[in-house]
Amino acid sequence: MSEVTNQPRRKSPVESLSQESREKLKNLNADIISTRKIGRVERFFGKENYRILKGLVTTPTSIVGLILIAFFVLIALAAPVIAPPLPNTDPYQMPRDGYSAQPKPPMSEWKSDVPPTPGWYTFFTGKEEWVHLMGTSSNAYDIFYGVIWGTRTALKTGVIIEFITLLIGILVGSFAAYYGGKVDNIVMRIVDIFMTLPFLLAALILAAVLMPVLGRSTVPSVIALTAFGWMNYARLIRGDILTVKERDYVLAARVIGVKDRNILFKHIIPNAIFPTLVIASMDIGTYVLNFAALSFLGIGTQIGYADWGQILSFARDWITQLGTYWYIVVYPGIVLVLFVLGWNLVGDAVRDVMDPKLRKLQESSQEG
Amino acid sequence: MKNGEVLLDVKELVQYFPIRRGVLQKVVGYVHAVDGISFDIKRGETLGLVGESGCGKTTTGRSILQLYKPTSGQVIFDGMNLVELNGKKMREERKKIQMIFQDPYASLNPRMTVEEIVGEPLKIHKIVENSEIRNKVKELLELVRLNPAYIDRYPHEFSGGQRQRIGVARALALNPELIVCDEPISALDVSVQAQIVNMLEELQSEMNLTYLFIAHDLSVVKHISDRVAVMYLGVIMEMTSRDELYSNPLHPYTIALLSAVPIPDPEKEINRKRIILEGDVPSPVDPPSGCRFRTRCPLAQEICAKERPEFREVKPGHFVACHLVREITPGVFRAEI
């Protein structure tokens, strides 16, 4: 027995292989294991959708995007802590420090109607007096409040616009694809007509018409952007439904005797909706940008509402002196750019992951 | 409900698909997918339907199930003409006719678990109580020799053969009388093919099933069928019992097809005569006049272009659609080529 233990350890068969073939074997094993073990998440989403989601959380650009988005969501959630409003006022209304037309630079002292100093500011600086962190715009609106609470406005309007556009798009697209033939033809031509209209211009006109009727708020812009934003989703879901409709499992459902409506909702739409959902959720950035553009042009919220586009529009009055009053443009500009960048980075990653041409490249690089 | 009586009677079934062109979607022509075929299937038997790809086998199966609305003709199942049934009655009738699909990777909804897939027909037709569905699905899985522990898995976690078993379990869930098997094994590995075919045979005798077995593999059809129908370009060319067809084929097309089946005996394989058909299958959009096969038939004569041959019973139980069958005997025909 002792002889055996004293013997030099025998090489295992794997160790005697060349480096290259050992790599191959490792990959082979990995393959076998990965086909056997399928996580709960993957089971829930299905193989293809799981691949897309996995691509989202593993692509570096998309990770940066997701971090940016998470950052803005945190700011929006913590807005009352970061920038506590004056008691008994509308927090979405930017607080004013007097009525002076002259903008004040960042870190200047807050004189009248001072909101409560946030705890974090005292904690970091040891000072009790609240200042204009990012300065004020014309008419003494505090830019810091506008930026922080504007994040809420941006996320809220972005999500609402996206949700409604998506709903309209999916309804119209499924309707066209499901009935097919002439209905499809007519509906999709209407979609085409909508698509020929220049998006922002059409939205601008509609919002301008709606504003006197509905009053100044976020509503006219939301309606206008929704009215001209749904067509892409209708097209996308229609195409996907048309493909799924021809799959054998849809035929199988008919053979079993499933009713047409249930086939649509249970077998077709769940298998067709995912790409549209992902693409759509990434468009929030674009909608926020367009919403800000409308605000900048003076359409939408009432003056002083915390909204990035509107703070930017305040800078218009000082366009010749922006060297001095840079802070009116720079702070809201930066957040807007970062916000849209975050969504776009994720959106680009999604498009790459979903592109079948790039898929093979990606898979081979993962293996190698 | 005795074996041997006619369960399905297809009469002059025609299935055309319009070809639409242009902005206004004008109909510019028709694909003559199935062009007037008649056959019957008796309870408990297996009718094999063979033919090249694109000859209308699959369309025939789907038209019988009313997945396409037939252009004309009758599909009489158990005394009822399925073509005339409305949506609701047809759904009822679907309990009795089920289908097994060709591609097991495409025929299962990827977002449903095995329980949902196999349980769906049970739920829709209220075969068992909702609380009993899970047990019933497990039973069905055992019936198709699948481990019932897989009940919560999704289709992509299975191999092709296993998926096909799930497809079979779904078809069996409603306890049907007729199953249309649409090339159920052509997408599978050869080793798995045998397992599935044997399983289908066992199930047939256990559950007294009737099969319409669509395939392009003549050896498989020979193995499983009682009778065989040979299709070419939307028309049945010859139909008879299996043994008669393989030993005494009459139609030139059948003879050519059979001569292409490899024989697992090298000596015979070298010495036998192969009939090589010239050219391709003509387009079903504009099929040849008269006999569909005449453009490739080595024996074609004038009459073949003029008249469409009748589908005649030349011997008891042996139907052939060929003008020349009266004149040719198999031996002579072979000698000529």
Side-chain angles (χ1 to χ4, degrees):
Chain A
M1 286 300 274
S2 63
E3 272 174 33
V4 178
T5 49
N6 286 339
Q7 261 179 0
R9 197 171 63 91
R10 265 232 203 114
K11 273 187 173 179
S12 81
V14 176
E15 279 170 25
S16 60
L17 291 172
S18 74
Q19 186 62 33
E20 197 189 349
S21 20
R22 234 192 286 177
E23 272 305 305
K24 271 188 191 160
L25 193 72
K26 216 169 117 192
N27 283 338
L28 199 72
N29 282 335
D31 199 41
I32 292 168
I33 291 165
S34 72
T35 49
R36 285 217 186 120
K37 274 191 189 166
I38 290 170
R40 205 173 278 171
V41 187
E42 176 165 2
R43 280 175 152 209
F44 180 75
F45 286 105
K47 196 179 172 189
E48 184 56 24
N49 300 341
Y50 179 73
R51 194 182 62 79
I52 294 170
L53 286 178
K54 203 177 146 200
L56 273 190
V57 291
T58 50
T59 318
T61 50
S62 141
I63 293 173
V64 175
L66 286 174
I67 290 173
L68 278 173
I69 293 169
F71 172 70
F72 280 106
V73 170
L74 275 181
I75 288 184
L77 287 175
V81 181
I82 299 171
L86 272 171
N88 302 324
T89 54
D90 177 8
Y92 286 101
Q93 198 67 27
M94 285 185 265
R96 303 178 78 166
D97 184 9
Y99 296 91
S100 154
Q102 196 79 359
K104 282 186 205 159
M107 307 307 286
S108 54
E109 205 181 326
W110 197 305
K111 295 206 172 105
S112 57
D113 293 332
V114 190
T117 313
W120 62 269
Y121 181 74
T122 326
F123 179 80
F124 281 114
T125 59
K127 290 176 191 161
E128 285 294 330
E129 289 80 36
W130 197 200
V131 293
H132 297 297
L133 263 188
M134 296 178 180
T136 65
S137 67
S138 35
N139 297 324
Y141 288 111
D142 183 85
I143 296 176
F144 180 69
Y145 276 80
V147 166
I148 298 298
W149 287 88
T151 312
R152 277 196 171 188
T153 314
L155 276 172
K156 257 201 314 204
T157 50
V159 169
I160 290 172
I161 294 174
E162 192 54 68
F163 182 76
I164 304 173
T165 21
L166 190 60
L167 199 69
I168 297 175
I170 286 176
L171 285 178
V172 172
S174 346
F175 177 76
Y178 182 63
Y179 286 100
K182 275 187 188 136
V183 179
D184 183 30
N185 222 335
I186 293 168
V187 172
M188 291 324 282
R189 291 303 81 74
I190 294 173
V191 169
D192 285 346
I193 292 170
F194 266 87
M195 290 196 98
T196 57
L197 303 172
F199 174 61
L200 198 59
L201 199 64
L204 179 70
I205 293 168
L206 182 61
V209 170
L210 287 174
M211 209 167 60
V213 184
L214 299 170
R216 276 191 167 270
S217 67
T218 51
V219 180
S221 305
V222 168
I223 292 178
L225 291 173
T226 313
F228 298 101
W230 54 270
M231 296 84 71
N232 262 328
Y233 308 137
R235 273 194 171 177
L236 244 155
I237 189 102
R238 172 183 169 268
D240 281 329
I241 287 181
L242 287 183
T243 345
V244 172
K245 215 171 139 183
E246 297 303 318
R247 302 257 166 89
D248 274 356
Y249 55 77
V250 175
L251 272 185
R254 287 183 59 199
V255 170
I256 290 167
V258 186
K259 282 182 193 146
D260 282 1
R261 198 177 349 112
N262 290 346
I263 292 182
L264 180 72
F265 286 113
K266 219 175 139 191
H267 292 271
I268 299 178
I269 289 186
N271 283 296
I273 204 171
F274 196 76
T276 315
L277 279 186
V278 176
I279 293 273
S281 60
M282 298 311 143
D283 280 347
I284 290 180
T286 322
Y287 283 117
V288 169
L289 193 64
N290 284 316
F291 183 81
L294 289 183
S295 284
F296 179 79
L297 294 169
I299 287 186
T301 54
Q302 62 273 30
I303 311 259
Y305 194 83
D307 158 19
W308 298 338
Q310 191 172 111
I311 311 174
L312 285 171
S313 78
F314 288 148
R316 217 170 20 190
D317 306 340
W318 307 96
I319 206 150
T320 50
Q321 290 154 280
L322 278 182
T324 322
Y325 303 127
W326 54 272
Y327 42 88
I328 315 180
V329 173
V330 169
Y331 291 121
I334 284 177
V335 284
L336 187 58
V337 166
L338 287 181
F339 187 87
V340 178
L341 181 71
W343 289 103
N344 283 359
L345 285 177
V346 181
D348 282 352
V350 169
R351 261 161 266 244
D352 286 353
V353 175
M354 296 216 295
D355 186 343
K357 275 184 205 155
L358 290 170
R359 182 185 309 168
K360 273 199 181 141
L361 272 174
Q362 190 194 24
E363 272 166 9
S364 59
S365 72
Q366 273 172 5
E367 279 161 22
Chain B
M1 294 286 171
K2 269 182 293 177
N3 277 357
E5 70 183 45
V6 174
L7 179 67
L8 177 79
D9 193 0
V10 177
K11 286 180 182 166
E12 287 300 317
L13 183 69
V14 177
Q15 182 75 60
Y16 291 167
F17 295 109
I19 305 166
R20 294 172 195 277
R21 288 274 155 73
V23 189
L24 296 171
Q25 299 287 297
K26 223 173 103 185
V27 178
V28 292
Y30 290 94
V31 177
H32 299 62
V34 176
D35 210 352
I37 64 171
S38 304
F39 61 87
D40 56 17
I41 306 179
K42 294 175 185 66
R43 196 180 288 277
E45 82 167 345
T46 301
L47 177 71
L49 190 58
V50 287
E52 292 170 74
S53 11
C55 74
K57 306 177 300 259
T58 298
T59 310
T60 306
R62 292 184 178 177
S63 300
I64 289 171
L65 280 151
Q66 306 301 305
L67 293 176
Y68 306 134
K69 188 148 185 46
T71 313
S72 70
Q74 291 180 314
V75 179
I76 295 164
F77 177 79
D78 215 0
M80 222 177 312
N81 187 359
L82 300 183
V83 180
E84 288 165 1
L85 293 184
N86 61 19
K88 202 178 164 192
K89 278 192 181 147
M90 188 59 218
R91 267 200 295 279
E92 255 329 282
E93 212 53 25
R94 288 198 187 283
K95 271 193 248 179
K96 298 183 200 155
I97 320 176
Q98 282 297 307
M99 185 163 180
I100 300 170
F101 289 84
Q102 174 174 9
D103 184 357
Y105 291 87
S107 62
L108 306 175
N109 187 338
R111 303 190 61 77
M112 287 163 79
T113 61
V114 174
E115 182 183 2
E116 288 169 309
I117 291 170
V118 180
E120 194 177 25
L122 300 171
K123 213 169 179 177
I124 284 163
H125 292 284
K126 303 191 174 63
I127 304 288
V128 291
E129 293 286 315
N130 275 353
S131 53
E132 273 300 300
I133 284 182
R134 201 176 162 84
N135 287 334
K136 178 80 183 167
V137 170
K138 280 184 178 167
E139 264 173 45
L140 284 163
L141 290 182
E142 269 170 20
L143 196 64
V144 296
R145 286 76 163 159
L146 265 183
N147 189 344
Y150 294 157
I151 190 164
D152 289 319
R153 295 205 178 180
Y154 284 87
H156 65 261
E157 301 174 62
F158 293 96
S159 70
Q162 288 173 318
R163 287 181 195 213
Q164 198 58 294
R165 285 170 198 270
I166 298 169
V168 175
R170 171 175 60 190
L172 292 177
L174 294 171
N175 204 3
E177 290 166 29
L178 174 70
I179 297 185
V180 175
C181 309
D182 183 7
E183 306 206 27
I185 55 165
S186 48
L188 304 175
D189 279 357
V190 178
S191 55
V192 185
Q193 285 187 352
Q195 293 173 11
I196 299 286
V197 167
N198 291 338
M199 184 184 78
L200 287 174
E201 280 192 314
E202 282 166 35
L203 289 171
Q204 179 168 37
S205 55
E206 276 169 38
M207 301 178 69
N208 194 22
L209 296 167
T210 309
Y211 288 147
L212 172 60
F213 196 91
I214 301 168
H216 57 245
D217 185 334
L218 285 163
S219 330
V220 174
V221 168
K222 186 178 180 179
H223 178 77
I224 197 169
S225 307
D226 299 311
R227 284 192 303 145
V228 181
V230 180
M231 241 181 132
Y232 182 81
L233 212 59
V235 178
I236 293 184
M237 291 294 180
E238 184 164 7
M239 179 169 77
T240 181
S241 69
R242 171 193 51 189
D243 296 336
E244 171 82 2
L245 188 96
Y246 282 86
S247 63
N248 185 24
L250 291 178
H251 198 285
Y253 179 61
T254 318
I255 295 169
L257 266 190
L258 289 177
S259 85
V261 178
I263 303 171
D265 179 341
E267 261 173 50
K268 277 189 191 164
E269 182 73 34
I270 287 171
N271 291 328
R272 75 160 168 172
K273 254 191 176 159
R274 274 245 161 92
I275 301 165
I276 313 281
L277 292 177
E278 304 273 318
D280 286 324
V281 183
S283 159
V285 177
D286 186 20
S289 63
C291 174
R292 292 294 166 88
F293 185 55
R294 70 170 166 89
T295 51
R296 299 171 78 193
C297 181
L299 303 174
Q301 295 174 7
E302 240 174 76
I303 186 173
C304 300
K306 280 183 195 148
E307 275 175 49
R308 189 168 161 173
E310 202 187 328
F311 193 50
R312 288 175 296 131
E313 188 165 12
V314 291
K315 278 197 222 171
H318 195 148
F319 295 80
V320 181
C322 179
H323 290 300
L324 309 172
V325 144
R326 233 183 302 255
E327 289 125 61
I328 54 169
T329 56
V332 176
F333 177 70
R334 286 203 183 101
E336 275 175 20
I337 298 180

